[in-house]
């Protein structure tokens, strides 16, 4: 992979080099073209010494030259300088032959900040100098004499070829280095990412990358870490649900086995011929009670799997939760009276509208209230409180009974968890009631928590969205 990427980058750089070289030539040609077009329009090319030349230099038209910040001078055959206007190019009044020949030589220098146009009038023997300040001059040219090959020609060509070769070698080396550096920048993070994904594919979901990459690679690194984090969570959840499933099968078989063994044993006894009617009645009662217990367990299990199934849907209706809870309480008042319980309700008179499935939510309150009755002694006080909390409604179902040990605060909502560890509870609970309650509350996008403590009673706090 490393090779292919660096080769690809190298190809790109070479292509880029050719494109940029081509662009340089194109731009240079355009500049030359522009220079050619422009030069015809420049004042220095219009008002040349040749164009202005007349035999009587006093009659030379200097106005246009002066208007364009130029100057006009005449140098006579005695090398005397006559200024016809403008800032003079030659400052002296009289020149020596050396000064005049130096001026003529320097006048053609491309670095001059002035354009000099010089013309000699043969009939009147004077030179006319027209000077303009340079606006901008760009020049580059190759000049060669095709007729006579100079002795320096080979030396010049050799130097030129050497320079071009050095340039190409430098270019190749720098391109190679640059493409290598870039390849390393690309390849190393990609390799690290590849190693990471390989380990992930092998099931190592704890794998995280800490490469501190930049740009898109940083995003890729972050996405990779998110992916492995998510996979780790999902695997953990899968393991947990698998454990839960295994434990549930064990618990179900255990809880079903007891009543069924009992039913089987007592029904065999009932089949005996010489059984007194008193004993038969007693055995039938035991069979009946165990059937109720087995049936209850199966009904709960059926309910639980129904709520858990993806097809389960709530039939939501807008309802005043205060009125609804009042109704549910009144349903259990006879049970509270029978059990000699005391009660206290703090339910506001104002409406608090929530969207609930009346049947399922009814089951929640019935379960919580009957649990309080089932597991606590006479004289226990049950309190139900409702209050609005921001965009939620809080419903508290509490009692001051035996309570549940604090370590079970969360687990009590798991299937088959009971506060009395013996599992032979006289109360005959299945340990599924609170699991179903929690599932129903969560289906309503709410939460339920238990504030527990042995001997401190139980407090179930339900939050429902309004
Ligand atoms: P079940 O009542 O069928 O056993 P639940 O899931 O409804 O199952 O309750 C789980 C356990 O929590 C019960 O077995 C009981 O030990 C304990 N529990 C529930 N509510 C109360 C309560 N109000 N007071 C004391 N213990 C309770």
């Amino acid at each position: 992979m490393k090779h292919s990427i660096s080769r690809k980058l190298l190809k790109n750089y070479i292509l880029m080099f050719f494109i940029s070289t081509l662009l340089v030539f194109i731009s240079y040609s355009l500049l030359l073209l522009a220079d050619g077009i422009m030069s015809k329009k420049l004042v220095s090319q219009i008002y040349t010494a040749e164009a202005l030349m007349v035999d009587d230099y006093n009659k030379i038209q200097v106005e246009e030259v002066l208007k364009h910040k130029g100057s006009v001078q005449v140098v006579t055959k005695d090398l005397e300088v006559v200024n016809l206007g403008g800032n003079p190019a030659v400052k002296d009044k009289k020149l020596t032959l050396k000064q005049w020949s130096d001026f003529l030589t320097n006048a053609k220098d491309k670095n001059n900040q002035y354009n000099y146009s010089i013309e000699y009038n043969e009939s009147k023997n004077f030179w006319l100098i027209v000077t303009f300040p340079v606006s901008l001059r760009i020049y580059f040219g190759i000049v060669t004499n095709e007729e006579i090959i100079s002795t320096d020609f080979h030396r010049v060509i050799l130097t030129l070829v050497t320079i071009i070769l050095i340039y190409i070698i430098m270019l190749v080396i720098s391109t190679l280095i640059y493409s290598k550096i870039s390849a390393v920048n690309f390849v190393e993070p990609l390799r690290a990412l590849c190693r990471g994904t390989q380990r992930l594919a092998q099931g190592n979901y704890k794998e995280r990358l800490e490469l501190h990459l930049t740009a898109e690679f940083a995003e890729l690194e972050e996405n990779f870490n998110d992916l492995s984090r998510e996979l780790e969570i999902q695997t953990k959840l899968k393991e947990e649900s698998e454990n839960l499933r295994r434990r549930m099968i064990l618990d179900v078989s255990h809880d079903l086995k007891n009543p069924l063994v009992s039913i089987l044993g007592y029904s065999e006894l009932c089949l005996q011929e010489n059984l007194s009617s008193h004993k038969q009645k007693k055995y039938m009662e035991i069979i009946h009670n165990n059937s109720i217990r087995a049936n209850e367990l199966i009904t709960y299990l059926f309910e639980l799997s129904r709520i858990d199934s993806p097809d389960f849907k709530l039939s939501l209706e807008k309802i005043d939760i205060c009125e609804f809870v009042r109704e549910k309480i009144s349903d259990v008042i006879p049970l509270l009276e029978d059990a000699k319980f005391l009660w206290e309700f703090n339910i506001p008179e104002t409406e608090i509208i929530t969207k609930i499935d009346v049947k399922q939510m009814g089951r929640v309150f019935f379960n919580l209230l009957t649990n309080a009755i089932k597991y606590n002694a006479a004289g226990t006080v049950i309190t139900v409180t409702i209050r609005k909390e921001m965009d939620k409604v809080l419903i508290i179902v509490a009692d001051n009974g035996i309570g549940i040990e604090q370590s079970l605060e969360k687990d009590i909502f798991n299937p088959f968890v009971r506060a009395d560890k013996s599992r032979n509870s006289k109360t005959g609970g299945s340990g599924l009631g609170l699991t179903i309650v929690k599932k129903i509350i969560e289906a309503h996008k709410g939460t339920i928590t238990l504030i527990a403590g042995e001997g401190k009673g139980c407090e179930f706090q339900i939050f429902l969205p309004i």
Side-chain angles (χ1 to χ4, degrees):
M1 181 173 63
K2 185 171 179 170
H3 287 141
S4 64
I5 287 193
S6 60
R7 214 172 295 148
K8 196 157 176 46
L9 285 170
L10 185 63
K11 269 188 205 161
N12 287 352
Y13 292 135
I14 291 171
L15 185 73
M16 202 54 221
F17 161 71
F18 281 119
I19 292 172
S20 47
T21 314
L22 192 72
L23 281 176
V24 166
F25 278 114
I26 292 173
S27 338
Y28 178 68
S29 314
L30 285 174
L31 271 174
L32 283 186
L33 190 73
D35 188 40
I37 296 167
M38 285 298 292
S39 62
K40 291 189 184 97
K41 298 187 174 170
L42 296 178
V43 282
S44 59
Q45 302 299 319
I46 299 167
Y47 305 107
T48 57
E50 192 189 354
L52 298 178
M53 181 61 85
V54 286
D55 285 347
D56 181 357
Y57 60 70
N58 287 315
K59 289 189 178 150
I60 289 174
Q61 302 289 313
V62 297
E63 296 78 18
E64 282 301 317
V65 178
L66 300 183
K67 211 166 89 187
H68 291 101
K69 297 194 172 107
S71 68
V72 183
Q73 284 176 287
V74 166
V75 178
T76 62
K77 67 175 184 329
D78 306 323
L79 301 182
E80 274 170 12
V81 182
V82 183
N83 191 15
L84 298 181
N87 196 11
V90 184
K91 306 277 180 225
D92 305 293
K93 290 275 169 224
K94 175 130 176 98
L95 296 174
T96 62
L97 206 56
K98 164 104 176 68
Q99 280 174 322
W100 179 229
S101 86
D102 281 351
F103 175 79
L104 287 177
T105 315
N106 291 335
K108 292 291 163 201
D109 188 346
K110 297 278 187 200
N111 288 322
N112 257 333
Q113 289 180 328
Y114 292 92
N115 281 316
Y116 298 106
S117 165
I118 305 163
E119 187 70 23
Y120 183 65
N121 189 320
E122 280 180 52
S123 55
K124 299 293 174 189
N125 290 329
F126 68 87
W127 287 272
L128 177 66
I129 309 170
V130 180
T131 313
F132 282 103
V134 167
S135 50
L136 179 71
R137 188 192 292 134
I138 304 163
Y139 60 90
F140 175 76
I142 297 171
V143 181
T144 180
N145 189 335
E146 284 167 14
E147 285 164 22
I148 307 156
I149 297 208
S150 142
T151 45
D152 286 341
F153 184 76
H154 290 114
R155 209 174 299 149
V156 171
I157 290 293
L158 197 73
T159 315
L160 256 175
V161 169
T162 316
I163 287 169
I164 290 169
L165 269 177
I166 290 171
Y167 169 72
I168 290 172
I169 289 167
M170 271 167 47
L171 195 89
V172 168
I173 292 171
S174 62
T175 309
L176 274 174
I177 292 171
Y178 189 51
S179 73
K180 281 276 167 215
I181 291 171
S182 312
V184 167
N185 285 344
F186 284 114
V187 172
E188 283 314 317
L190 281 177
R191 284 204 162 166
L193 283 166
C194 274
R195 281 196 296 272
T197 42
Q198 264 164 11
R199 281 198 287 270
L200 208 62
Q202 285 157 6
N204 183 3
Y205 302 134
K206 288 202 177 342
E207 178 73 22
R208 299 285 184 278
L209 295 178
E210 275 184 39
L211 304 170
H212 308 294
L213 302 173
T214 51
E216 276 84 354
F217 284 120
E219 217 173 295
L220 208 58
E221 183 185 356
E222 207 181 295
N223 290 348
F224 174 88
N225 287 341
D226 286 348
L227 176 74
S228 53
R229 205 169 293 124
E230 189 56 29
L231 279 171
E232 193 186 356
I233 293 169
Q234 291 303 330
T235 324
K236 215 167 149 196
L237 282 176
K238 212 176 135 198
E239 271 170 22
E240 273 173 14
S241 93
E242 187 56 25
N243 286 341
L244 201 73
R245 194 184 62 85
R246 255 189 244 124
R247 222 183 58 216
M248 244 179 100
I249 293 173
L250 255 173
D251 288 338
V252 170
S253 25
H254 178 274
D255 280 23
L256 266 180
K257 202 179 133 219
N258 285 347
L260 288 180
V261 165
S262 179
I263 291 168
L264 201 69
Y266 283 101
S267 54
E268 270 171 13
L269 283 176
C270 280
L271 288 173
Q272 283 174 9
E273 276 169 14
N274 50 357
L275 198 69
S276 70
S277 62
H278 170 70
K279 270 193 175 167
Q280 199 175 18
K281 192 172 178 254
K282 197 177 150 202
Y283 294 162
M284 287 304 279
E285 257 173 28
I286 297 173
I287 291 171
H288 181 69
N289 285 341
N290 277 298
S291 308
I292 291 175
R293 198 161 143 64
N295 183 50
E296 197 180 66
L297 185 67
I298 289 167
T299 314
Y300 267 116
L301 270 175
F302 174 71
E303 255 331 289
L304 188 64
S305 54
R306 204 172 70 85
I307 294 172
D308 254 348
S309 99
D311 299 333
F312 176 73
K313 279 198 176 61
L314 296 173
S315 321
L316 295 174
E317 3 179 332
K318 276 188 180 174
I319 235 161
D320 171 20
I321 192 79
C322 302
E323 188 52 35
F324 175 78
V325 173
R326 256 184 239 118
E327 272 173 27
K328 295 300 126 192
I329 291 169
S330 64
D331 289 348
V332 294
I333 291 281
L335 298 177
L336 288 171
E337 279 172 347
D338 283 354
K340 302 200 168 36
F341 268 52
L342 303 170
W343 57 86
E344 200 183 307
F345 305 127
N346 308 311
I347 300 172
E349 287 306 318
T350 47
E351 281 188 344
I352 302 175
I353 304 294
T354 50
K355 260 179 150 182
I356 57 164
D357 182 319
V358 175
K359 195 174 156 213
Q360 299 299 338
M361 203 49 92
R363 178 191 279 271
V364 167
F365 289 103
F366 185 76
N367 199 298
L368 292 178
L369 292 167
T370 50
N371 265 358
I373 300 170
K374 200 157 64 171
Y375 296 108
N376 295 297
T380 304
V381 183
I382 292 189
T383 320
V384 178
T385 310
I386 299 184
R387 65 170 176 265
K388 213 171 156 181
E389 301 241 321
M390 315 271 273
D391 55 345
K392 290 191 171 86
V393 58
L394 169 64
I395 307 157
I396 302 172
V397 180
D399 64 64
N400 64 347
I402 55 165
I404 296 172
E405 64 179 273
Q406 221 161 5
S407 60
L408 285 176
E409 249 178 16
K410 286 201 170 67
D411 290 346
I412 200 75
F413 295 102
N414 287 340
F416 300 105
V417 177
R418 296 174 201 166
D420 57 328
K421 305 241 169 55
S422 65
R423 306 187 59 80
N424 290 318
S425 162
K426 290 186 195 83
T427 53
S430 64
L432 289 172
L434 288 179
T435 312
I436 294 173
V437 163
K438 190 171 189 215
K439 295 233 180 245
I440 294 172
I441 298 288
E442 283 173 352
H444 282 82
K445 297 192 172 49
T447 56
I448 178 163
T449 39
L450 166 67
I451 314 290
E454 216 162 347
K456 288 183 190 164
C458 287
E459 183 176 317
F460 290 95
Q461 293 191 349
I462 300 169
F463 277 99
L464 287 177
I466 294 178

